[in-house]
Amino acid sequence: MLAPGSSPEQRGRLALQWRQVSWITCWIALYAVEAFPTCPFSCKCDSRTLEVDCSGLGLTTVPPDVPAATRTLLLLNNKLSALPSWAFANLSSLQRLDLSNNFLDQLPHSIFGDLTNLTELQLRNNSIRTLDRDLLRHSPLLRHLDLSINGLAQLPPGLFDGLLALRSLSLRSNRLQNLDRLTFEPLANLQLLQVGDNPWECDCNLRDFKHWMEWFSYRGGRLDQLACTLPKELRGKDMRMVPMEMFNYCSQLEDENSSAGLDIPGPPCTKASPEPAKPKPGAEPEPEPSTACPQKQRHRPASVRRAMGTVIIAGVVCGIVCIMMVVAAAYGCIYASLMAKYHRELKKRQPLMGDPEGEHEDQKQISSVA
């Protein structure tokens, strides 16, 4: 405070200093607000790891005041059923998002459009039935994706295009019956794939994916069991263990379909052919096009049971041949040992072959007996 007799110059300098301190205080307050943003209501925030934990709160909507600098957002164990396309707008720093154990049934195609730095996405245990092919287009750094325990019946082609960094993918416990090989070919760095507990139909639609699984396992990828549900002959059998001979009829079907597509359409055939028109007198009869219906040969696909029987019979025959070879080898060894023993005893009892004195004495004995 100034003394009652202070000069106006001192009062002016004090006022100027007071203004400067006020401005500095305001700037510090603004910086503090930006550096330590407010945490959403009832959520737990960690300013050191930039994690916002809003799990298990019974939320039906995503909190609108999530800090823009958040790197981890946990929204599992809530009651989220529908999300707007702007639910995660302006969260470009987000790296991990967990939406597990909710009631989501559909996701807008642009809901993850701003999450360019996302590396982990958890969508486990929801009710998602369909996915848009552009859902993950703006997340090229994604490394872990969990879509297990949902209602997915198919995957749109192009869903994983551009996800070169993806390392693990879980599709367990869905309604998948077959998969397209082209959908998984962009995943060049995939290391773990989980596809168990799905109602797989091991038919021609799954043949190309079987080839991809074999290549994936050959390059060191980890894959759980893909157990067949249909046909009945293969129920419970791992798709990778099904011999390729059982899919030979698939190429026959493709050949027939391709040849059927090249057929030139002709006039419709009828069972009852019309009576030929009577030729005019003096004119040569013209040959009429044949309207007889050609007999279509019905395709008879190879029976899986017959193929399995052939494999079993071939195995039994090979086993019998191997047993016969072992028995023959044992018999030869026994026979050789017996013959060697017989020759040794024979040499002990009889004189050596080629002894002239022995032969002469034998002849004398024979002549004396005679």
Side-chain angles (χ1 to χ4, degrees):
M1 296 180 65
L2 295 175
S6 59
S7 62
E9 294 179 358
Q10 292 178 348
R11 294 179 179 177
R13 286 197 300 269
L14 183 60
L16 181 61
Q17 291 177 358
W18 177 256
R19 291 177 183 175
Q20 292 176 354
V21 171
S22 300
W23 279 108
I24 293 173
T25 305
C26 291
W27 280 110
I28 291 174
L30 291 174
Y31 178 77
V33 170
E34 292 181 357
F36 304 98
T38 58
C39 185
F41 180 73
S42 299
C43 297
K44 301 177 183 178
C45 299
D46 190 342
S47 59
R48 183 176 57 86
T49 59
L50 299 178
E51 177 181 297
V52 178
D53 187 358
C54 299
S55 58
L57 299 178
L59 301 177
T60 57
T61 58
V62 177
D65 52 348
V66 177
T70 302
R71 293 184 181 178
T72 301
L73 179 58
L74 305 179
L75 292 168
L76 63 158
N77 300 326
N78 282 290
K79 298 180 181 179
L80 302 173
S81 58
L83 296 177
S85 58
W86 60 87
F88 306 108
N90 301 324
L91 295 179
S92 58
S93 300
L94 195 63
Q95 297 179 0
R96 183 187 174 199
L97 177 60
D98 195 339
L99 292 167
S100 302
N101 302 330
N102 280 282
F103 302 97
L104 301 173
D105 59 353
Q106 193 172 3
L107 297 173
H109 71 280
S110 60
I111 189 171
F112 305 131
D114 292 340
L115 307 183
T116 54
N117 292 310
L118 192 65
T119 60
E120 181 178 349
L121 178 58
Q122 298 284 339
L123 293 169
R124 175 185 172 89
N125 195 15
N126 280 279
S127 303
I128 303 174
R129 293 171 295 179
T130 58
L131 295 173
D132 192 272
R133 60 170 298 172
D134 298 329
L135 182 67
L136 306 171
R137 176 162 302 214
H138 301 283
S139 302
L141 303 179
L142 193 63
R143 295 170 60 92
H144 306 284
L145 177 60
D146 192 348
L147 294 169
S148 60
I149 315 180
N150 279 283
L152 296 173
Q154 60 181 357
L155 298 178
L159 176 64
F160 303 133
D161 289 357
L163 300 183
L164 299 178
L166 195 64
R167 296 291 189 273
S168 65
L169 173 62
S170 180
L171 297 169
R172 292 180 59 87
S173 302
N174 279 279
R175 299 178 182 176
L176 298 171
Q177 297 179 350
N178 54 71
L179 292 173
D180 190 0
R181 174 178 181 171
L182 298 177
T183 306
F184 291 83
E185 285 189 345
L187 304 178
N189 295 312
L190 189 66
Q191 299 176 359
L192 174 63
L193 177 61
Q194 297 177 338
V195 292
D197 300 328
N198 280 284
W200 299 110
E201 293 185 2
C202 299
D203 54 7
C204 295
N205 295 325
L206 205 59
R207 181 189 58 171
D208 292 339
F209 185 69
K210 172 181 169 62
H211 288 298
W212 183 88
M213 286 192 303
E214 294 175 351
W215 170 82
F216 178 68
S217 300
Y218 176 76
R219 69 176 179 86
R222 291 178 295 165
L223 181 70
D224 61 348
Q225 185 180 14
L226 192 153
C228 301
T229 303
L230 292 175
K232 294 182 180 180
E233 293 83 357
L234 299 177
R235 181 172 297 172
K237 191 177 184 63
D238 193 342
M239 179 64 176
R240 290 170 295 181
M241 306 304 296
V242 177
M244 287 303 301
E245 289 76 13
M246 294 187 180
F247 295 94
N248 290 337
Y249 72 95
C250 298
S251 57
Q252 299 176 6
L253 287 175
E254 293 174 357
D255 295 340
E256 288 188 0
N257 293 334
S258 60
S259 61
L262 297 176
D263 291 343
I264 301 175
C269 59
T270 56
K271 292 184 179 179
S273 301
E275 296 181 358
K278 295 181 180 180
K280 296 180 180 180
E284 295 182 358
E286 296 181 358
E288 296 182 358
S290 176
T291 57
C293 297
Q295 291 184 353
K296 279 190 175 181
Q297 295 183 355
R298 297 180 62 185
H299 176 70
R300 296 179 179 179
S303 175
V304 177
R305 187 176 302 173
R306 187 183 304 171
M308 293 180 65
T310 304
V311 174
I312 294 173
I313 292 174
V316 171
V317 171
C318 292
I320 294 174
V321 172
C322 293
I323 293 173
M324 292 176 64
M325 293 177 65
V326 172
V327 172
Y331 176 78
C333 294
I334 295 172
Y335 179 78
S337 63
L338 292 175
M339 290 300 296
K341 184 177 180 181
Y342 172 75
H343 282 293
R344 285 197 301 268
E345 293 180 354
L346 188 63
K347 287 181 180 180
K348 290 179 181 178
R349 294 179 181 180
Q350 295 182 356
L352 297 175
M353 298 297 294
D355 188 359
E357 295 181 357
E359 291 180 358
H360 185 66
E361 292 179 357
D362 291 340
Q363 289 179 0
K364 287 182 177 181
Q365 293 177 359
I366 294 172
S367 60
S368 63
V369 172

